[in-house]
Amino acid sequence: MTDPSLQPSRQPWRWAVIALAVGVLAVAFAYVGGWLTPQRLSSRQIVNQLQAGGVHPGFRRNHAKGVCVAGYFESNGSAATYSKASVFAPGRTPVVGRFALPGGNPYAPDSSVPIRSFALRFTLPNGEQWRTGMNSMPVFPVATPQAFYDQMVATQPDPATGKPDPKRAGAFFAAHPETGAFLAWVKTAKPSASYVTETYEALNAFYFVDADGKRHAVRWEVTPEANDDAGTGPQAGDPDYLAQDLQKRIAQGPLRWHLRVTLAEPGDPTNDATKAWPADRPSIDAGTLVIESEQAQDSGPCRDINYDPTVLPSGIEISDDPLLPARSSAYAVSYLRRTREEAHFPGAPTPSSEHPQ
């Protein structure tokens, strides 16, 4: 008996459906790769611009200067109502982190920028990971990857002067009024004398997903217990005072921050990191981050970690913020370049192939 599915009258339709499915996949891959839209901004263009001021083989293209830290997160269970992620169940989760400065120069003086960054990788008991990269500023300057790229181009230092062209930079900021909140902050921001006294903001919005599948728009930050010299200036003549300060403090005992999660209300933007949510939004103290050790980044445990903010456990999801997928893609390009470079931290072990940045 003949299989009806192989009868001539039906077989062409089967092949047509298969061809259509393959065609859709091909178009999708082509679009993601930028092949159909050569004018579309790519992660390679972003990373190329990040390294326009010079390449330091083996180092990250951004946040190149840093130090590894390790410890644990002690959850108090308060966030478990909003997220089913096991990291929020009461108990400890191991953490590997990295303090760093923005920029691609691993030898930059610590006083060169007023911003510090803090990246964390939580390794959950079930093998999942949560990775997050935070900065010590209240908002991001721009809302889209294209604007970020355009900002880098507009503020790139002129080789003749070593400084950005004020007309070019001014034209960019005039055309991007969303940068106003960041510019107002940076006018009074000063390089702090310690990584330890800073509050670090995730800036992008995410969703916590509870046990019933309900999503809650959130942002998070880590706030320090130490605040003795917050906002003070650098040590005179010392370009590397942050790492030295960190060593001294850890030698005296563990360092602590509180993980605070802010819950959005309807209408709060989840796709725009230039806009802070109102200060009266409810906040949860989810637990304590404890840092117990530090190590140089050339041999420390953070060296081969990609702090991709889209690596999330079940119970946390990305929002519609367009910066998140762009960060993920650019981090991957940065990682692949630095780990292929022969000068990658001479004498250090061969990088692992786990996740890129």
Side-chain angles (χ1 to χ4, degrees):
M1 184 174 181
T2 304
D3 185 343
S5 66
L6 298 179
Q7 292 178 2
S9 60
R10 296 188 182 183
Q11 195 170 4
W13 291 106
R14 286 168 57 93
W15 290 114
V17 170
I18 293 173
L20 177 61
V22 171
V24 169
L25 287 174
V27 170
F29 278 113
Y31 178 76
V32 171
W35 304 332
L36 299 183
T37 53
Q39 75 281 5
R40 182 168 170 257
L41 180 65
S42 71
S43 55
R44 288 177 177 79
Q45 288 175 283
I46 292 175
V47 176
N48 288 345
Q49 188 59 40
L50 282 169
Q51 63 187 40
V55 175
H56 296 272
F59 289 91
R60 286 167 165 85
R61 272 30 182 187
N62 194 14
H63 301 278
K65 184 178 185 179
V67 58
C68 296
V69 292
Y72 61 88
F73 172 64
E74 183 85 42
S75 172
N76 57 24
S78 297
T81 302
Y82 302 93
S83 173
K84 62 183 179 182
S86 61
V87 68
F88 296 121
R92 291 186 178 185
T93 300
V95 168
V96 173
R98 183 175 184 269
F99 288 112
L101 299 181
N105 182 5
Y107 311 107
D110 291 345
S111 59
S112 60
V113 289
I115 301 167
R116 285 73 174 91
S117 71
F118 195 9
L120 297 169
R121 183 193 68 183
F122 301 75
T123 302
L124 283 57
N126 61 2
E128 292 183 318
Q129 293 185 3
W130 174 23
R131 305 187 190 188
T132 181
M134 300 168 287
N135 291 282
S136 62
M137 56 190 190
V139 291
F140 201 69
V142 292
T144 67
Q146 184 66 57
F148 178 64
Y149 176 81
D150 293 342
Q151 178 192 1
M152 288 194 292
V153 172
T155 58
Q156 180 178 333
D158 185 331
T161 64
K163 298 179 180 179
D165 180 339
K167 291 184 178 180
R168 194 177 188 184
F172 169 82
F173 289 114
H176 291 269
E178 73 275 15
T179 61
F182 175 81
L183 293 177
W185 171 80
V186 82
K187 283 181 181 178
T188 59
K190 297 179 180 179
S192 65
S194 179
Y195 284 128
V196 177
T197 57
E198 292 282 3
T199 292
Y200 298 91
E201 308 271 356
L203 300 179
N204 304 111
F206 292 81
Y207 287 104
F208 277 5
V209 183
D210 63 29
D212 296 325
K214 183 179 179 180
R215 299 202 305 172
H216 310 268
V218 299
R219 284 174 173 167
W220 55 74
E221 64 181 16
V222 291
T223 60
E225 289 191 357
N227 58 8
D228 53 291
D229 62 352
T232 62
Q235 304 298 315
D238 185 355
D240 303 309
Y241 61 86
L242 288 172
Q244 295 176 26
D245 171 81
L246 181 63
Q247 291 173 353
K248 291 178 182 178
R249 289 175 183 266
I250 287 182
Q252 296 171 3
L255 310 172
R256 291 177 170 81
W257 286 257
H258 289 266
L259 175 61
R260 301 187 185 277
V261 179
T262 299
L263 298 168
E265 292 189 2
D268 290 339
T270 56
N271 63 348
D272 191 344
T274 70
K275 296 179 180 178
W277 292 345
D280 62 355
R281 296 298 183 255
S283 178
I284 304 164
D285 184 342
T288 306
L289 173 68
V290 181
I291 297 301
E292 301 176 296
S293 64
E294 58 80 29
Q295 192 171 344
Q297 67 173 358
D298 60 350
S299 56
C302 72
R303 190 193 65 149
D304 299 330
I305 297 176
N306 167 15
Y307 288 101
D308 178 346
T310 67
V311 176
L312 302 168
S314 176
I316 308 177
E317 298 177 354
I318 65 169
S319 68
D320 54 347
D321 190 329
L323 293 176
L324 287 170
R327 287 176 64 186
S328 177
S329 183
Y331 286 11
V333 172
S334 169
Y335 175 87
L336 291 173
R337 289 185 183 183
R338 69 184 176 90
T339 55
R340 286 172 178 168
E341 291 161 352
E342 293 182 357
H344 182 78
F345 297 126
T350 302
S352 71
S353 60
E354 63 151 323
H355 268 286
Q357 177 64 358

